Amino acid sequence: MDLVTPKPASEPQPPPVAQNIARVAVQKVNGSDRHAEHDVLAVEEPLEIRLVFRRDGRRQQKSISITMRTPGDDFELACGFLLTEGIIHNPGDVAGVRHCGVPVGPLKLRNVVRVELGPDVPLDFERLERHFYTSSSCGVCGKTSIAALTVSGVTPLAPGEPRVSADVFHRLPDELRRSQDVFDQTGGLHAAALFETDGRLVALREDVGRHNAVDKLIGSELLAGRLPLSRRILLVSGRASFELVQKALVARIPIMAAVGAPSSLAVELAAQYGLTLLGFLRSGRFNLYCGAERVIGATD
């Protein structure tokens, strides 16, 4: 496949449905009744992210991540990951993105993405000595220490802006659910979505890994040249973890909401950097953990 530069890749490149969904034989049991059917499952496949860069005048290549993901939006996932890990900082750092390797498995997928950096992009080579091995269930698995998660160069968010009505937040989960195409068929995916401050859906990505869904979402905005996301709301379908808050801060998202619970470390990080964090957003209610000044219309 030819090298694909970031600007053309800014438009989503959804794969055929067959790459997202697999049909499998299943025995369905209901009491004493058992019968054979087919079930529809979300596809989970590994993705290796390789980085191409120049060091001492020589072109080098290094594998820096292996993650389990739902195929599709691989370029966005790779670039979003590199951004939220602090390896790149803007779309101009990326000279090109391409799939490589031979198609594998019954779906004939290319499970390697190679990201080539521009010749003048500065790199922290000690940072590249680490391998970022992640899984679909937890984005921080395999990282050497909690200190390695520190977001370098990220400053606190501007206080008090934007301000959003509490009524807007109540509408977001239903809007998210209506837009989850693959979840409707499989029930097995996480989702991350960006909204305008009036509740209009901007973009949505799905994946078996909640951190991958957020990386795909941020990567799509990076490649489209729309960072920072200082007037957006991030909604995630599951819980709010430390790593997801970190990714939101890198993209300069001021408000993050989760259908599930946040972790204590997520709340601590959000409060430290001035991010508004909502949890348990469902059924017309939510918990407001920090950044209350951005939420209007709720009785104190």
Side-chain angles (χ1 to χ4, degrees), residues 9-45:
S10 63
E11 295 183 1
Q13 303 172 15
V17 173
Q19 289 191 348
N20 282 339
I21 297 172
R23 289 175 58 85
V24 298
V26 62
Q27 294 284 326
K28 292 202 171 183
V29 179
N30 184 2
S32 60
D33 178 59
R34 183 175 69 180
H35 61 279
E37 284 192 15
H38 281 86
D39 200 4
V40 179
L41 303 179
V43 172
E44 184 176 33
E45 286 280 333

Side-chain angles (χ1 to χ4, degrees), residues 164-175:
V164 179
S165 168
D167 292 337
V168 168
F169 293 112
H170 295 319
R171 300 199 305 266
L172 301 187
D174 287 341
E175 184 65 29

Side-chain angles (χ1 to χ4, degrees), residues 207-289:
D207 199 276
V208 287
R210 59 175 61 88
H211 58 287
N212 286 342
V214 173
D215 276 339
K216 287 180 177 181
L217 192 64
I218 292 175
S220 70
E221 298 298 291
L222 168 74
L223 294 174
R226 289 193 287 262
L227 295 184
L229 302 174
S230 56
R231 303 289 301 179
R232 295 288 185 264
I233 301 166
L234 171 65
L235 175 63
V236 295
S237 61
R239 63 184 180 86
S241 66
F242 170 87
E243 188 185 37
L244 297 191
V245 170
Q246 173 184 288
K247 292 177 185 297
L249 288 169
V250 171
R252 309 305 288 166
I253 298 171
I255 303 172
M256 178 177 172
V259 173
S263 68
S264 62
L265 197 56
V267 174
E268 181 181 331
L269 183 65
Q272 180 180 350
Y273 283 89
L275 181 141
T276 297
L277 183 61
L278 285 66
F280 297 106
L281 177 59
R282 54 180 183 258
S283 304
R285 59 182 183 270
F286 58 82
N287 289 353
L288 181 53
Y289 292 91

Side-chain angles (χ1 to χ4, degrees), residues 78-149:
C79 292
F81 173 83
L82 293 176
L83 177 79
T84 58
E85 290 292 342
I87 295 172
I88 63 174
H89 303 283
N90 57 71
D93 290 343
V94 181
V97 190
R98 61 171 292 181
H99 281 106
C100 56
V102 298
V104 296
L107 297 179
K108 302 300 181 184
L109 298 174
R110 282 188 167 91
N111 287 333
V112 180
V113 165
R114 190 165 69 189
V115 181
E116 183 160 358
L117 301 186
D120 300 322
V121 176
L123 280 178
D124 181 348
F125 291 102
E126 289 187 5
R127 191 182 189 89
L128 290 182
E129 291 304 313
R130 292 190 292 121
H131 284 256
F132 296 87
Y133 288 103
T134 61
S135 75
S136 61
S137 60
C138 175
V140 300
C141 294
K143 293 191 177 181
T144 54
S145 69
I146 196 69
L149 294 175

Side-chain angles (χ1 to χ4, degrees), residues 26-66:
V26 62
Q27 294 284 326
K28 292 202 171 183
V29 179
N30 184 2
S32 60
D33 178 59
R34 183 175 69 180
H35 61 279
E37 284 192 15
H38 281 86
D39 200 4
V40 179
L41 303 179
V43 172
E44 184 176 33
E45 286 280 333
L47 180 72
E48 178 184 351
I49 300 172
R50 296 178 185 173
L51 196 64
V52 179
F53 55 92
R54 289 193 174 274
R55 186 178 190 183
D56 300 328
R58 293 186 302 169
R59 191 168 180 266
Q60 299 186 29
Q61 178 173 283
K62 185 176 182 64
S63 176
I64 62 169
S65 172
I66 297 175

